[in-house]
Amino acid sequence: MVTVEERYEHLEKTIRGYNISADLNQIRAAYEYAREHHGEQMRRDGTPFVTHPINVAQIVAEMRLDSESIIAALLHDCVEDTDCTYEDIAKRFGVTVADIVDGVTKLTRVKYSTMEEEQMENLRKMLFAMSRDIRVILIKIADRLHNMRTMEYQTPAKQKKKSFETMEIYAPIAHRLGLAKIKWELEDLSLQYLDPVAYSEITKKLAADSVQHDQFMSRIQEEISARLAEENIPHATVYGRVKHPYSIYRKMYLQEKTMEELYDLFAFRALVDTVPDCYNVLGVIHDIYKPILGRFKDYIATPKPNMYQSLHTTVIGEEGIPFEVQIRTYDMHAINEYGVAAHWKYKQGIKKEGGEGAYEWIRRLLENQEDTDAEEFIHSLKVDLFSDEVFVFTPRGDVVNLPAGATPIDFAYSIHSAIGNTMVGAKVNGRMVGFDYQLHNGDVVEINTAKSAHGPSRDWMKIAKSSEARSKIRQWFKRERREENIAQGRASFESELKHIGLTMAQITASDVLPSILKRVSFPSLDEMYAAIGYGGLTAQKAANRVRDELLHINRAAAMVKAAEEAAARAAQEAKEAKAAQEAKSNLPRKVKSEKGIVVEGLSNCLVKFSKCCTPVPGDEIVGFITRGYGVSVHRKDCPNAQPDHHVEANQGRWIKVSWSDDIRDSYSTSLEVVCKDRSGLLVDISTAMSTCKINVNGMNVHTTADGFAIFHLTISVADSKQLEQVMRKIHQISNVMKVNRPAG
Ligand code: MN
């Protein structure tokens, strides 16, 4: 049995070993403070509670963190488990230490109630986001590691729950921070409780084969060391190890292999002084052993996102046993083992101890990730996302994820719309705050509600940051305040209408109202006013749509009228012309045309070619006056232009059109070619096009299951003559069955 005092002295010795300027007086004071406050509390293993913070501080010291981290580690459970407060600690040990303890306490209060993958990622992100000081999360990881080490004294249910959390949350975080050693230990400890059968199978097998393994490893180690000495590579250290149980477990599981079948059950490390030496060692290793193809990874040239650097290769020795060799410099090794903590230690020499904002660290960690393994990169990017999110707690300790800048209103509506609708006040960390208060990571938010609350105010819509809250507020106005909404919506609609120069009378006329309502998609004007009132539609948008519809209606009416007048005029002209012709020969009348189309009796009117039949000059054509979009020109043989398709009401809209003398150079049209599929068809069709000097603007092919290929071509031609020529040409190609001009 080790006494508490002995444990503490071991801690001091570790600290002295790496930090000569450590504040040992304050550290001892923190230890005594913790011992006094935890008093008679015991751990489940029968030791005084204070052994826990001492052990956590020991792990923190092994990460080589600064004095403040050690002090905070010693005090980390004081606020949570004893009667002392943030203020007590701040007064006695300074604000920084108190802040770190406060951060760890908040992380301790996080409840992991949901076991869904999505929530896990949220929690990991939140832990990062909450730890504005990296030391908070490092201490929390140390805390979890010690708890896992002593998990055997807990109930089976708690063992499973904690192991699951550790595997899902803490081990990935340790990995992201590059704490390789701690990550392995956390995973191995968790596996022990999550899959005890597999764990004992692996460890038993490793133990049974350990003599054989050791012999193998020392033989390889000697072989490599001897060759490195021969090659004059200075200060090389070579050692072997068997991979960790969890790493073996994962590989067995993922690759569905037995332990014997696994590659790299063994891993060797070669540590050297310089990067060029690393590549020299690699050359030597590949010279002695046969490398396995595709297993070489250069994490020196492209470090992993967590700053890990090393060369990895897997080779096969004489006995046919494969093993992995990791080659790196001593400096890389330090960072690989201690991760962010080692890096932090290096910087300590440059800046004042703990002076640099630890948040900086995560940021830089994430910035340093270009050109890394794609999967790793995306994975760590997720962490970066927290910059536009904020994570807060319910009073019960559940995590709520909101957009950055969120307010108590967003929080309330994210819990339930009923909470938002009856909210009368909000508390953050126990203090009353305004509804526009901006929430911070780790805030505990409490909403006060009252049955008599008169519901959200319209200003809330502007304060709320989340679309969820805004839409729920809108919903409320929609439901609860219909009369008010209609009155308010009507007022703002009328003023908007006035603004664009229209009157209500113009809209409510019985011949236009139905199509206006159709255009705005409301069954009645009241419905539209209500929507404007609760904010589902802006008055401006509504008024603009109404104006557009009125313009359409008027334009269509004007065109129909013009067409009727034109027909009358044409009849009159024909009569006059006939009379004139009788007198002398008639000269063709030159008419100004649009796109090479003359619309009988109308000049300068908008013309478009219908997409269904894409007419070209030479085709017989006919025109249709659309509602507001000019005259649409169809081929006379287009199914859409057949008299029996003409709805009675539209009869007046069909008009005569013809090709003018000033047609353009080319017209776009489409062709459909049906073929029995064979190779080279596409080339042959393209060749036919280019012999006829035809531009292809688009080509689409689809093949059918029964061996047909159908080409859809969009081409530009001068007229129907050229089009017929190319259609004949295509038809001559072997396997072509049909060449159509699509219509209808
Ligand atoms: Mn603890």
Side-chain angles (χ1 to χ4, degrees), residues 52 76-77 143 147:
H52 168 65
H76 83 271
D77 274 329
D143 176 44
N147 284 334

Side-chain angles (χ1 to χ4, degrees), residues 106 132 390-395 402 406-409 411-412 423 425-448:
K106 278 181 182 152
R132 251 159 281 161
V390 61
F391 301 88
V392 296
F393 295 119
T394 67
L402 297 168
T407 62
I409 296 174
F411 176 86
M423 171 159 86
K427 275 186 186 169
V428 168
N429 303 326
R431 291 193 196 95
M432 289 296 296
V433 295
F435 285 177
D436 59 350
Y437 174 89
Q438 280 209 2
L439 299 175
H440 302 289
N441 278 311
D443 279 349
V444 178
V445 189
E446 200 177 331
I447 300 296
N448 297 330

Side-chain angles (χ1 to χ4, degrees), residues 352-611:
K352 211 174 92 225
E353 187 178 297
E356 190 173 9
Y359 196 63
E360 275 295 293
W361 280 109
I362 301 175
R363 199 175 55 74
R364 209 168 315 139
L365 196 74
L366 294 165
E367 274 173 3
N368 211 352
Q369 288 171 352
E370 285 162 60
D371 300 321
T372 44
D373 178 336
E375 198 188 57
E376 285 280 353
F377 181 51
I378 287 163
H379 201 60
S380 41
L381 257 189
K382 282 189 186 167
V383 178
D384 202 19
L385 290 176
F386 66 64
S387 59
D388 45 30
E389 290 168 87
V390 61
F391 301 88
V392 296
F393 295 119
T394 67
R396 280 176 33 214
D398 289 331
V399 184
V400 176
N401 180 359
L402 297 168
T407 62
I409 296 174
D410 295 291
F411 176 86
Y413 278 100
S414 80
I415 303 295
H416 198 279
S417 44
I419 306 271
N421 291 337
T422 56
M423 171 159 86
V424 290
K427 275 186 186 169
V428 168
N429 303 326
R431 291 193 196 95
M432 289 296 296
V433 295
F435 285 177
D436 59 350
Y437 174 89
Q438 280 209 2
L439 299 175
H440 302 289
N441 278 311
D443 279 349
V444 178
V445 189
E446 200 177 331
I447 300 296
N448 297 330
T449 58
K451 281 223 174 79
S452 58
H454 19 128
S457 89
R458 288 183 199 274
D459 292 339
W460 290 16
M461 213 101 88
K462 291 178 203 126
I463 298 169
K465 267 278 173 315
S466 61
S467 50
E468 186 190 6
R470 280 202 297 267
S471 92
K472 282 178 174 171
I473 296 168
R474 214 176 285 133
Q475 285 285 327
W476 186 87
F477 278 111
K478 190 177 177 179
R479 220 177 32 244
E480 303 285 326
R481 296 287 161 92
R482 190 174 153 80
E483 294 311 309
E484 194 183 300
N485 287 336
I486 291 176
Q488 198 183 358
R490 184 183 173 111
S492 47
F493 178 75
E494 282 182 358
S495 105
E496 195 59 49
L497 210 58
K498 208 168 146 193
H499 184 70
I500 58 174
L502 291 173
T503 63
M504 280 305 285
Q506 280 174 284
I507 294 171
T508 49
S510 62
D511 56 338
V512 294
L513 187 60
S515 65
I516 284 177
L517 288 172
K518 206 176 153 200
R519 175 68 173 241
V520 293
S521 320
F522 286 102
S524 70
L525 281 176
D526 272 0
E527 291 296 330
M528 182 179 84
Y529 296 149
I532 296 171
Y534 71 75
L537 174 73
T538 66
Q540 195 190 11
K541 213 172 204 168
N544 284 342
R545 281 192 197 152
V546 167
R547 182 195 50 199
D548 289 351
E549 185 57 25
L550 275 177
L551 285 176
H552 273 188
I553 294 168
N554 292 339
R555 205 182 299 151
M559 285 182 76
V560 170
K561 197 174 157 213
E564 281 164 3
E565 282 170 8
R569 208 162 47 236
Q572 179 65 24
E573 270 170 20
K575 224 162 100 185
E576 283 167 14
K578 205 177 166 194
Q581 201 173 21
E582 276 161 17
K584 53 179 180 172
S585 67
N586 191 12
L587 291 167
R589 194 165 57 109
K590 197 87 174 157
V591 190
K592 213 170 166 215
S593 66
E594 173 89 8
K595 295 181 180 173
I597 292 289
V598 182
V599 179
E600 196 164 276
L602 293 176
S603 57
N604 284 334
C605 86
L606 194 59
V607 165
K608 59 168 189 157
F609 293 104
S610 82
K611 287 212 173 61

Side-chain angles (χ1 to χ4, degrees), residues 24 88 136 140 204 226 244-245 262 270 294 323 357 366 405 428 496 710:
L24 291 172
D88 298 337
V136 169
K140 186 63 204 167
K204 270 186 193 145
H244 295 265
L262 277 187
F323 56 91
L366 294 165
V428 168
E496 195 59 49
I710 297 156

